[in-house]
């Protein structure tokens, strides 16, 4: 198996059957081998610098009904909220003071925010914080809408593909949503000129090694600038409430494989990873991640942006999150940097 990992490093990809073999048979030894290699690649590239992005969860209204997600339309227990432009700008101001130079605006697919409103929001943030990057993560839109947001100044877009296997996609989503459309959106975003992030949940219901190998092959095909992966974590008010959460070890192994595949990729240690393990973020970084996305949303809405149960960092002020993060990173020999942290 070490030979496969070495070859992945040389070629950036393996055959589907080889990925399946690796993912079905890896143990502690392989995880350590891949982890060490991935960490070395990351430090060769980024040194001990970790890029930070301030995450602003600006709406939890959503027109979609993804089966795994706590803010899906049909969850009537979700307490819905929206942030105003002023509230969002306040978050950015707080974030700027704390050293953030990237703001990630994430939300459900909420028709209340028209394209014009998003354009205005992006322009306003860019005007006030001209040295900052803006990442949007607001789901599937038309190519024209994506273009408008880009022209207004949005730099990056996160749209996890969720799973690259058609059949699996169908088990996680209602029939109105399709993998082909999601992939088309990612291609459009790339062509427009965004730095693009795809990604998937690890251990989502019905996922197997074949699905994961297709995820890795899709990453190779798309060549995104970022990849967001985190464990699936069940949410009580979804039909997957009783499904087991994704495994820490498998998530870490996949982070390492992705780093080995694509040396300079932007790879976050996600909040979901921190949720299933008290040192999840640190473990993610030691497995090859180089980005963290602490929460910048106002404290009173954080609990309401509940994609899954037990999400960490919902009780803290932005400044507390920031300090806690710095201490955690320092404890493993890393530090955050104050710049946009673009893909190079
Ligand atoms: N509406 C936007 C943002 C979605 S929320 C979009 O469509 O892209 C961001 C990510 O959270 C999703 O892409 C999904 O991968 C993840 N997520 C949702 N529910 C989850 C759960 N139960 N466990 C872990 N991750 C989850």
């Amino acid at each position: 198996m070490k030979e496969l990992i070495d070859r992945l490093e040389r070629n950036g990809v393996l055959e589907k059957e080889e990925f399946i073999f690796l993912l079905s048979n890896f143990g502690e030894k392989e995880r350590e081998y891949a982890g060490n290699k991935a960490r070395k690649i990351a430090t060769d590239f980024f040194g001990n610098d970790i890029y930070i992005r301030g995450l602003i969860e600006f709406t939890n209204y959503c027109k979609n009904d993804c089966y795994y997600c706590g803010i899906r339309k049909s969850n009537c227990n979700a307490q819905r909220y929206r942030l105003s432009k002023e509230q969002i700008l306040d978050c950015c101001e707080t974030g700027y003071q704390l050293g953030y130079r990237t703001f990630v605006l994430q939300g459900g697919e909420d028709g209340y925010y028209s394209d014009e409103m998003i354009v205005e929001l992006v322009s306003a943030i860019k005007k006030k914080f001209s040295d900052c990057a803006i990442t949007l993560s607001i789901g599937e839109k038309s190519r024209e809408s994506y273009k408008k947001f880009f022209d207004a100044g949005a730099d990056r877009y996160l749209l996890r593909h969720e799973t690259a296997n058609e059949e699996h996609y169908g088990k996680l989503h209602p029939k109105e949503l399709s993998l082909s459309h999601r992939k088309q959106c990612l291609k459009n975003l790339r062509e427009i000129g965004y730095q693009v992030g795809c990604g998937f949940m690890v251990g989502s219901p019905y996922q197997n090694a074949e699905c994961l190998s297709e995820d890795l092959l899709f990453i190779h095909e798309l060549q995104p600038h970022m990849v967001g992966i985190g464990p699936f974590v069940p949410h009580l008010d979804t039909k997957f409430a009783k499904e087991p959460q994704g495994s820490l070890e498998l998530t870490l192994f996949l982070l390492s494989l992705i780093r080995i595949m694509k040396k300079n990729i932007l790879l976050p240690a996600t909040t979901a990873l921190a949720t299933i393990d008290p040192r999840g973020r640190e473990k993610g970084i030691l497995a090859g991640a180089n980005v963290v996305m602490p929460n910048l949303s106002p404290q009173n809405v954080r609990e309401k942006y509940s994609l899954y149960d037990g999400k960490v960092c919902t009780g803290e002020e932005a400044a507390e999150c920031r300090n806690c993060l710095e201490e955690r990173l320092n404890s493993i020999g890393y530090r955050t940097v104050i710049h946009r942290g673009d893909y190079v």
Side-chain angles (χ1 to χ4, degrees):
M1 274 189 275
K2 285 185 181 166
E3 193 271 321
L4 285 179
I5 297 171
D6 290 344
R7 186 139 51 79
L8 180 63
E9 184 178 15
R10 283 196 307 276
N11 299 351
V13 71
L14 294 174
E15 296 296 328
K16 182 170 167 186
E17 293 307 321
E18 295 173 326
F19 274 133
I20 294 178
F21 178 79
L22 202 53
L23 291 165
S24 313
N25 295 294
F26 80 96
E28 202 52 33
K29 260 204 239 126
E30 289 76 23
R31 200 163 66 73
E32 205 182 303
Y33 185 73
N36 288 337
K37 203 183 262 300
R39 180 157 74 250
K40 170 139 194 336
I41 294 170
T43 45
D44 283 350
F45 217 90
F46 303 101
N48 294 329
D49 291 351
I50 298 296
Y51 297 167
I52 48 171
R53 283 70 165 97
L55 180 62
I56 304 172
E57 301 154 333
F58 70 101
T59 172
N60 71 349
Y61 282 84
C62 193
K63 70 173 165 64
N64 294 330
D65 226 359
C66 308
Y67 301 150
Y68 45 84
C69 184
I71 63 167
R72 55 187 300 215
K73 174 178 71 182
S74 67
N75 178 13
C76 43
N77 290 328
Q79 289 178 44
R80 306 288 171 172
Y81 73 90
R82 292 185 174 110
L83 299 185
S84 66
K85 181 174 147 196
E86 290 66 37
Q87 284 175 303
I88 297 170
L89 283 166
D90 281 351
C91 290
C92 296
E93 181 62 48
T94 306
Y96 195 88
Q97 299 301 332
L98 293 171
Y100 293 99
R101 294 296 178 268
T102 291
F103 302 116
V104 181
L105 302 180
Q106 188 178 83
E109 289 195 18
D110 180 1
Y112 167 86
Y113 297 90
S114 62
D115 284 0
E116 288 62 42
M117 283 165 81
I118 299 288
V119 163
E120 214 184 293
L121 182 60
V122 170
S123 318
I125 297 174
K126 275 287 177 174
K127 191 166 164 214
K128 209 162 163 206
F129 307 98
S130 57
D131 56 340
C132 293
I134 297 181
T135 306
L136 293 176
S137 178
I138 52 177
E140 298 176 28
K141 305 265 177 187
S142 69
R143 191 191 174 100
E144 294 70 47
S145 303
Y146 286 152
K147 179 79 167 75
K148 283 189 218 164
F149 308 155
F150 184 77
D151 291 341
D155 303 271
R156 311 186 186 129
Y157 206 104
L158 289 180
L159 186 77
R160 289 186 174 183
H161 63 282
E162 311 297 359
T163 170
N165 178 286
E166 289 279 0
E167 196 186 329
H168 186 216
Y169 199 92
K171 290 183 175 164
L172 300 179
H173 301 95
K175 61 177 180 324
E176 305 81 71
L177 296 173
S178 73
L179 177 59
S180 58
H181 189 252
R182 199 125 180 124
K183 284 185 174 173
Q184 187 56 52
C185 286
L186 283 163
K187 298 213 166 96
N188 289 343
L189 288 161
R190 254 210 92 112
E191 281 169 18
I192 291 168
Y194 283 95
Q195 294 172 47
V196 172
C198 66
F200 55 92
M201 290 173 286
V202 179
S204 58
Y206 310 107
Q207 184 181 67
N208 56 28
E210 184 177 6
C211 301
L212 288 170
S213 67
E214 290 176 33
D215 287 321
L216 295 176
L217 289 170
F218 176 67
I219 291 170
H220 182 69
E221 179 196 324
L222 180 71
Q223 291 291 320
H225 308 86
M226 324 177 258
V227 171
I229 70 166
F232 161 75
V233 184
H235 187 290
L236 259 180
D237 297 313
T238 64
K239 75 170 186 184
F240 294 146
K242 297 217 163 65
E243 297 289 331
Q245 67 183 25
S247 121
L248 173 73
E249 289 73 22
L250 181 56
T251 308
L252 295 174
F253 188 52
L254 282 159
L255 282 171
S256 300
L257 295 183
I258 294 168
R259 168 66 64 209
I260 293 169
M261 275 173 75
K262 209 162 154 25
K263 320 282 175 273
N264 56 342
I265 204 157
L266 298 166
L267 193 61
T270 56
T271 307
L273 186 57
T275 296
I276 65 160
D277 186 284
R279 290 182 69 77
R281 282 231 169 82
E282 295 89 312
K283 289 177 182 173
I285 287 163
L286 294 173
N290 75 312
V291 175
V292 276
M293 299 168 56
N295 204 312
L296 259 186
S297 311
Q299 213 184 325
N300 64 323
V301 304
R302 283 191 196 188
E303 281 204 6
K304 297 180 186 153
Y305 196 81
S306 165
L307 307 175
Y308 46 81
D309 290 328
K311 186 173 154 207
V312 290
C313 308
T314 54
E316 285 137 34
E317 295 283 352
E320 287 174 71
C321 270
R322 186 69 187 81
N323 288 336
C324 165
L325 173 67
E326 201 66 46
E327 281 168 25
R328 282 168 182 270
L329 294 180
N330 292 344
S331 79
I332 53 168
Y334 289 80
R335 53 165 196 189
T336 61
V337 285
I338 303 186
H339 62 61
R340 289 167 41 124
D342 282 300
Y343 177 88
V344 285

